[in-house]
Amino acid sequence: MISENMLVARSENELEYALKSLDVSVPKRSNGRKKEHTERYAIAYMLSTLLGKGVLSFPLELLQRERPDFLLNTNSGKIGIEHTEAVSENEAHKSVLRDQIDGAKVHFISRHLPGEPKKSAKKLIEEIKKDRAGPPWVGDSVEREWSDAMLHFINVKVAAFAKDGFEQFDQNWLLIYDNWSLPALEREKAFSMLFQKALTSKCFESFDDVFILSGAQVCRLSPEIYISYEINDLWE
């Protein structure tokens, strides 16, 4: 397994300094964005937000690798961290196509289902040009759809975790970078919904903790409780 050393820190002050030196820029999808960009962004923001929360032990070393995507060597043990981006494949393709055809900068939010069939570029361009509003979200449907989408991505990684070749460590975390397309989300309500759904799934049979980078917050799900933190943006 090939690993790349991303940073080493003997204290929180050193970790803050090391994180600030990382390039966390994420290009537009039409400008060459790769999974390495989103992985680096998500792990950096997660670690910066955990500063001062009593979660990390020092000294620590962060390695970038595969299956899982990161290994955090700490004074109290090894933590494997798997990353995934929660995004509709069709919406991600649409964002590229909008730039290619010089589509409208302001447009209606498209409704997507987790795991929906992949659409052709021709079909997506047709949808971009029509730009129809679609049915409205009512009540708490936004929060319910978000929690269902996040659970879908959790379940995908739970299945991957069980396969041969996925290395397990003293602790195993899942990190989700939330780019699911929805209108205004009441995050605390959505986090609570997801927590209840995670408890009845096989999530915590595989992962000790799930961290979701969503908007200006990081939600941490564990078998006993969920906690939301305000993002600590060191790169402002």
Side-chain angles (χ1 to χ4, degrees):
M1 179 64 65
I2 299 175
S3 300
E4 177 188 349
N5 189 305
M6 286 183 65
L7 58 83
V8 177
R10 293 171 296 180
S11 66
E12 290 208 330
N13 286 339
E14 284 193 10
L15 178 56
E16 181 175 349
Y17 180 82
L19 288 170
K20 285 181 177 179
S21 69
L22 292 179
D23 179 6
V24 296
S25 60
V26 180
K28 294 175 66 175
R29 297 186 194 279
S30 57
N31 288 344
R33 180 187 299 187
K34 298 179 180 178
K35 71 181 185 71
E36 288 79 12
H37 293 117
T38 55
E39 286 176 352
R40 185 174 293 257
Y41 177 93
I43 193 71
Y45 271 87
M46 185 194 79
L47 290 175
S48 70
T49 300
L50 292 180
L51 285 168
K53 303 298 190 299
V55 178
L56 304 173
S57 60
F58 296 86
L60 61 75
E61 175 189 40
L62 179 65
L63 302 175
Q64 190 164 20
R65 40 163 292 155
E66 293 292 336
R67 307 187 72 192
D69 297 303
F70 299 98
L71 175 60
L72 194 61
N73 289 318
T74 76
N75 187 48
S76 58
K78 296 179 180 292
I79 305 171
I81 305 173
E82 177 69 357
H83 169 269
T84 190
E85 182 181 5
V87 65
S88 161
E89 185 177 356
N90 287 321
E91 184 58 34
H93 194 183
K94 265 188 176 181
S95 69
V96 175
L97 293 172
R98 281 192 187 97
D99 288 343
Q100 291 178 349
I101 67 172
D102 197 23
K105 303 302 179 186
V106 179
H107 53 82
F108 288 110
I109 295 174
S110 301
R111 206 163 198 159
H112 297 283
L113 295 173
E116 65 188 2
K118 183 178 178 180
K119 297 179 181 179
S120 68
K122 181 180 178 181
K123 175 64 176 174
L124 293 174
I125 289 173
E126 179 183 321
E127 291 181 5
I128 290 169
K129 290 181 176 179
K130 288 182 178 178
D131 192 26
R132 291 177 176 168
W137 283 269
V138 296
D140 60 3
S141 60
V142 172
E143 290 73 30
R144 285 187 283 107
E145 287 188 24
W146 182 89
S147 60
D148 286 342
M150 295 306 113
L151 187 63
H152 166 80
F153 289 99
I154 290 172
N155 288 337
V156 168
K157 287 301 180 179
V158 166
F161 185 85
K163 293 180 179 178
D164 291 340
F166 198 107
E167 195 169 357
Q168 301 178 28
F169 295 95
D170 301 317
Q171 290 190 62
N172 302 282
W173 293 355
L174 176 60
L175 171 60
I176 301 176
Y177 178 27
D178 171 25
N179 274 317
W180 195 254
S181 179
L182 281 169
L185 177 69
E186 191 176 332
R187 283 190 166 81
E188 287 301 326
K189 179 185 286 189
F191 295 161
S192 178
M193 285 183 179
L194 177 58
F195 176 61
Q196 296 303 321
K197 292 175 182 179
L199 289 176
T200 59
S201 72
K202 295 183 178 180
C203 169
F204 299 116
E205 294 178 16
S206 301
F207 297 105
D208 298 280
D209 289 278
V210 176
F211 294 85
I212 305 173
L213 179 61
S214 180
Q217 291 177 276
V218 171
C219 176
R220 178 187 180 189
L221 305 173
S222 65
E224 296 82 22
I225 196 171
Y226 81 89
I227 304 170
S228 62
Y229 307 112
E230 290 296 318
I231 279 180
N232 179 23
D233 192 344
L234 301 174
W235 302 270
E236 287 183 314

